[in-house]
């Protein structure tokens, strides 16, 4: 158990809908990262937040957004969902920010868009 | 940006034999290289990592080597056991962003 928690574990929704995925980092960690894992794209970095502020952006679609709250939990919002958004979404956390920080992953949320 | 290539995509070994997975990266600024193990239905688990100022690191049956000049790094698992069966990912850290390889499915047969 990495100490990173994610809810929900599974999510099934229809095209065009909007969902919110939630992540709580390990105790004491200030950075939260979001990743998408799909069969065709592999593990892709989406976005990082550090102590409430956006720190780095990866291959995140404009339909997706995230935020980190004062208690350091983070939410990933996915809107106007398409079939291709079906994937595993992982959150990771690390103590600090910047290069070389060990990232610990949560168990993931499996999103199925029908 | 960073590009990480990982080989092989699948690896079948007999229990007790060694397994080696190789990765190459493109961004010379990358200085941190973690390895993750992912079992079915679970999130990636950090198993070992190496930083650019070190050439080799070992933790029990697992070792990682890094050649910065050639821009490649490898994972070595010795005395493999059935519980080592999983998908292994290498990654390169470029300014805090982890770029992952495509993964290696390791199957250890008794």
């Amino acid at each position: 158990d990495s100490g990173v928690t994610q809810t929900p574990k599974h999510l099934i929704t229809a095209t065009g809908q909007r969902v919110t995925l939630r992540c709580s980092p390990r105790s004491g960690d200030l950075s939260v990262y979001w990743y998408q894992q799909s069969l065709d794209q592999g593990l892709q970095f989406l976005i990082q937040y550090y102590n409430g502020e956006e720190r780095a952006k990866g291959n995140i679609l404009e339909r997706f957004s995230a935020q980190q709250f004062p208690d350091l939990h983070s939410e990933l919002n996915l809107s106007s969902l398409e079939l291709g958004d079906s994937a595993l979404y992982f959150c990771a956390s690390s103590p600090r920010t910047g290069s070389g920080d060990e990232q610990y992953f949560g168990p993931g949320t499996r999103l199925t868009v029908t | 940006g960073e590009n990480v290539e990982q080989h092989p995509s699948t690896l079948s070994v007999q229990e007790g034999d060694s397994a080696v997975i190789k990765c190459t990266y493109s961004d010379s600024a990358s200085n941190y290289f973690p390895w993750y193990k992912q079992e079915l239905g679970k999130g990636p688990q950090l198993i070992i990592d190496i930083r650019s100022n070190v050439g080799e690191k070992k933790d029990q049956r697992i070792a990682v080597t890094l050649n910065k000049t050639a821009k490649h790094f490898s994972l070595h698992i010795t005395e493999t056991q059935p519980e080592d069966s999983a998908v292994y990912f290498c990654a390169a850290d470029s300014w805090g962003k982890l770029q992952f390889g495509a993964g290696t499915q390791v199957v250890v047969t008794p």
Side-chain angles (χ1 to χ4, degrees), chain B residues 8 13 18-20 26-29 42 54 71-72 77 80 83 88 90 98 102:
Chain B
V13 296
S18 294
V20 180
S26 60
D27 188 352
S28 56
K42 297 187 177 180
V54 174
K71 293 185 193 164
H72 64 71
I77 306 173
T80 54
E83 53 264 38
Y88 291 80
C90 63
L98 284 183

Side-chain angles (χ1 to χ4, degrees), chain B residues 13 37-40 80-88 105-109:
Chain B
V13 296
K37 174 184 180 182
Q38 187 175 22
E39 296 173 290
L40 200 60
T80 54
Q81 299 168 5
E83 53 264 38
D84 294 328
S85 296
V87 178
Y88 291 80
Q105 173 79 60
V106 174
V107 177
V108 180
T109 52

Side-chain angles (χ1 to χ4, degrees), chain A residues 71-90:
Chain A
D71 67 351
L72 300 177
H73 91 271
S74 178
E75 293 181 355
L76 179 67
N77 300 296
L78 315 176
S79 62
S80 303
L81 285 167
E82 302 175 0
L83 295 177
D85 297 327
S86 295
L88 276 165
Y89 291 85
F90 289 104

Side-chain angles (χ1 to χ4, degrees), chain A residues 63-113:
Chain A
R63 301 184 284 109
F64 296 1
S65 65
Q67 53 184 329
Q68 185 179 28
F69 294 86
D71 67 351
L72 300 177
H73 91 271
S74 178
E75 293 181 355
L76 179 67
N77 300 296
L78 315 176
S79 62
S80 303
L81 285 167
E82 302 175 0
L83 295 177
D85 297 327
S86 295
L88 276 165
Y89 291 85
F90 289 104
C91 162
S93 74
S94 71
R96 299 163 295 276
T97 187
S99 189
D101 228 19
E102 298 169 358
Q103 296 184 27
Y104 295 90
F105 281 71
T109 293
R110 180 175 293 279
L111 174 66
T112 302
V113 182

